[in-house]
Amino acid sequence: MNSTITIPKILLPKSDVDMSKWSVIACDQFTSQPAYWEQVDKLVGDAPSALRIIYPEVYLEEANKRDRIKAINDNMQKYLQSGIFEEFEGFILVERTTPDGQKRLGLVLAVDLEDYEYTEQNNALIKATEKTVVERLPARIEVRKGACLESPHIMMLMDDRKRNIIERLYARRGELEIAYDFALNMGGGSIKGYKIEDKDCNRIIDDLNSLLDRNTLTEKYGSDRPILFAVGDGNHSLATAKECWNNIKKTLSSDEFDTHPARYALCELVNLHDDSLKFEPIHRAVFGVDEKFIEFMRNELAKLDGKSSVKVVYGDKEFSWRVSANASDAIADIQQLMDEYNKTHKDMVIDYIHGDGHLLSVAKEKNAVAVFMPCLEKDGLFDYVVRRGVLPRKSFSMGHAEDKRYYLECRVIL
């Protein structure tokens, strides 16, 4: 049996914990909107909350990073020692109802970090879909290397075109014990989880490993180059876990190497072909630039003779850039030229924004250039990763900001 997937010991808050205060959205959302996180903080108050064991990226530029990281790690220890968790060994079938009423299905499990790589070209069974921004890793590494717990917002994708795995489990959900069922805060919809006992997990692992059948791979991608999962959301969190594991494993014996909990990472697996799973563009808000930047981009992109266009807004003016009709190529071209401009304009800062309304709001409030990025087609994602490696960083988002995974389940990693 392939060790890429393992059965985790999951920690869930006990029934007396207010789950609507415990569970909060992924740390890399609303990064230019501190008011969102301030509201979450007020909502949570003194109640046990995942907010106290994560580092919202909106605060990455603050001066007291070390104090915040120490508080995060201290809170993990406090929660673990105070007995707010109950342990469950197995998988969790997740039914997430997003704010628009769609139901997204997932499966919480653990994956072997030895089988994951985030480099652009590799033979790992679990691959990144987008370029990792290594500058975003240090703060996360500082948190994780002193952490006794992990709580993931990672969403892993599988290409199960026949919908034989998660969907089949969901069809018999009436036989399963409910793990949790509650409304998510801040307009995130609701979530319901079902426990899948250890005895059923091995059969599920066999079903997942069938995705590596050489004939199946060739039929899908024209190549039997192996790929099991691709990271949809949370690649930087998974990359952080990988880097921490790379450091830890240097100190271990062979027996410890095989069993150390830090070798594995908890995540939620989602079928790429889930009807509710919609790819959304991740826009760019560009700070510290003016119309000279807009003109540079327009002129350079025009040289590529694109057949489509993207909208750009600055102040009360609207502009248009010609780009490739192929969304992945257009995204790559725009990001490459922005990076080139940034080399000679050090005051330029790019933020990655989900949602048209959020983009315009941030741009207006902070005098930024708003760039409306094209949308990637999800059906071509695995094929692109197999053939060409990773897309440019922040090329797509799975749904709107409010649709993202909320922190909920935990696991001991010491």
Side-chain angles (χ1 to χ4, degrees):
M1 183 168 60
N2 193 294
S3 65
T4 300
I5 308 146
T6 192
I7 303 167
K9 294 179 179 178
I10 296 173
L11 299 178
L12 292 172
K14 292 180 178 177
S15 59
D16 58 345
V17 174
D18 186 340
M19 294 297 281
S20 65
K21 292 183 179 180
W22 170 262
S23 190
V24 299
I25 206 162
C27 67
D28 58 353
Q29 300 304 303
F30 302 102
T31 53
S32 293
Q33 294 161 280
Y36 175 94
W37 291 99
E38 290 164 7
Q39 190 175 343
V40 176
D41 185 72
K42 290 178 182 177
L43 174 71
V44 166
D46 295 329
S49 177
L51 179 65
R52 307 305 180 201
I53 59 173
I54 66 165
Y55 199 143
E57 293 191 357
V58 69
Y59 301 123
L60 280 179
E61 300 305 317
E62 66 184 1
N64 62 333
K65 282 185 183 179
R66 290 193 179 277
D67 291 343
R68 183 179 286 272
I69 290 170
K70 184 179 185 305
I72 290 168
N73 289 329
D74 288 348
N75 286 330
M76 289 181 180
Q77 288 284 356
K78 181 179 75 173
Y79 288 163
L80 192 58
Q81 293 169 5
S82 65
I84 70 165
F85 296 116
E86 59 182 10
E87 187 176 88
F88 165 70
E89 186 167 7
F91 298 157
I92 293 181
L93 175 66
V94 177
E95 176 190 317
R96 168 73 182 278
T97 303
T98 53
D100 63 359
Q102 295 281 315
K103 290 191 186 302
R104 183 178 71 222
L105 305 181
L107 189 65
V108 176
L109 42 71
V111 296
D112 188 348
L113 291 166
E114 286 292 297
D115 287 332
Y116 159 72
E117 292 291 344
Y118 61 83
T119 52
E120 294 196 20
Q121 290 284 352
N122 61 72
N123 292 316
L125 295 180
I126 302 172
K127 302 181 190 297
T129 51
E130 298 175 315
K131 185 176 181 180
T132 301
V133 185
V134 294
E135 294 82 6
R136 294 177 60 197
L137 297 184
R140 294 188 184 209
I141 289 172
E142 284 300 311
V143 172
R144 190 175 177 97
K145 74 180 183 182
C148 60
L149 297 175
E150 68 171 359
S151 183
H153 74 265
I154 299 161
M155 287 178 61
M156 202 77 73
L157 298 174
M158 65 173 171
D159 189 3
D160 178 20
R161 298 180 183 182
K162 296 180 180 178
R163 308 188 190 201
N164 281 337
I165 303 174
I166 293 178
E167 292 81 359
R168 191 167 62 194
L169 284 171
Y170 185 68
R172 63 180 189 88
R173 63 192 179 280
E175 306 167 17
L176 305 175
E177 179 185 351
I178 293 176
Y180 48 74
D181 184 3
F182 63 98
L184 295 163
N185 60 42
M186 301 296 290
S190 62
I191 192 165
K192 191 171 186 178
Y194 303 86
K195 294 181 178 180
I196 298 175
E197 301 290 346
D198 193 348
K199 59 183 174 60
D200 293 324
C201 293
N202 288 325
R203 179 183 56 77
I204 296 168
I205 292 173
D206 288 341
D207 289 343
L208 292 169
N209 284 328
S210 70
L211 297 171
L212 289 171
D213 176 76
R214 294 180 67 177
N215 291 333
T216 301
L217 290 167
T218 302
E219 181 182 344
K220 289 178 180 176
Y221 315 122
S223 164
D224 63 358
R225 185 180 177 190
I227 180 171
L228 183 59
F229 303 144
V231 185
D233 268 342
N235 184 63
H236 288 86
S237 290
L238 200 60
T240 296
K242 175 76 172 185
E243 289 305 311
C244 288
W245 166 241
N246 284 343
N247 288 326
I248 290 170
K249 70 184 183 182
K250 297 172 187 175
T251 69
L252 303 178
S253 68
S254 57
D255 288 342
E256 291 170 328
F257 177 87
D258 289 336
T259 60
H260 197 287
R263 175 172 171 170
Y264 302 92
L266 206 61
C267 64
E268 180 181 346
L269 179 64
V270 178
N271 187 7
L272 177 68
H273 303 283
D274 188 300
D275 288 336
S276 72
L277 195 64
K278 302 290 192 293
F279 277 14
E280 303 283 348
I282 301 181
H283 302 310
R284 271 57 168 165
V286 188
F287 307 95
V289 296
D290 53 24
E291 287 193 30
K292 292 179 182 177
F293 162 74
I294 296 172
E295 195 65 21
F296 166 84
M297 293 291 295
R298 181 164 57 189
N299 291 339
E300 294 300 311
L301 287 166
K303 296 175 183 177
L304 303 177
D305 196 27
K307 305 301 181 185
S308 187
S309 64
V310 295
K311 182 173 75 171
V312 179
V313 174
Y314 182 50
D316 58 358
K317 295 182 180 179
E318 185 174 312
F319 305 86
S320 180
W321 296 343
R322 300 297 299 174
V323 297
S324 171
N326 181 301
S328 58
D329 289 335
I331 293 165
D333 293 340
I334 292 170
Q335 189 63 58
Q336 181 180 349
L337 287 168
M338 283 186 177
D339 292 343
E340 182 180 326
Y341 193 84
N342 201 179
K343 290 176 183 177
T344 54
H345 297 78
K346 299 302 182 183
D347 292 335
M348 172 180 165
V349 175
I350 304 170
D351 197 7
Y352 304 93
I353 307 292
H354 302 263
D356 294 5
H358 291 315
L359 176 65
L360 287 174
S361 175
V362 168
K364 182 178 180 180
E365 180 182 344
K366 300 188 177 182
N367 193 38
V369 174
V371 182
F372 291 79
M373 298 292 281
C375 188
L376 187 71
E377 292 294 329
K378 73 176 185 178
D379 288 346
L381 179 64
F382 270 66
D383 179 65
Y384 183 96
V385 171
V386 169
R387 289 187 296 105
R388 298 180 58 182
V390 298
L391 289 154
R393 64 187 183 274
K394 295 292 184 179
S395 290
F396 69 96
S397 171
M398 297 193 304
H400 299 294
E402 293 84 358
D403 302 336
K404 297 300 176 179
R405 188 166 213 282
Y406 276 55
Y407 298 102
L408 205 168
E409 303 87 355
C410 293
R411 188 178 70 94
V412 174
I413 56 173
L414 285 181

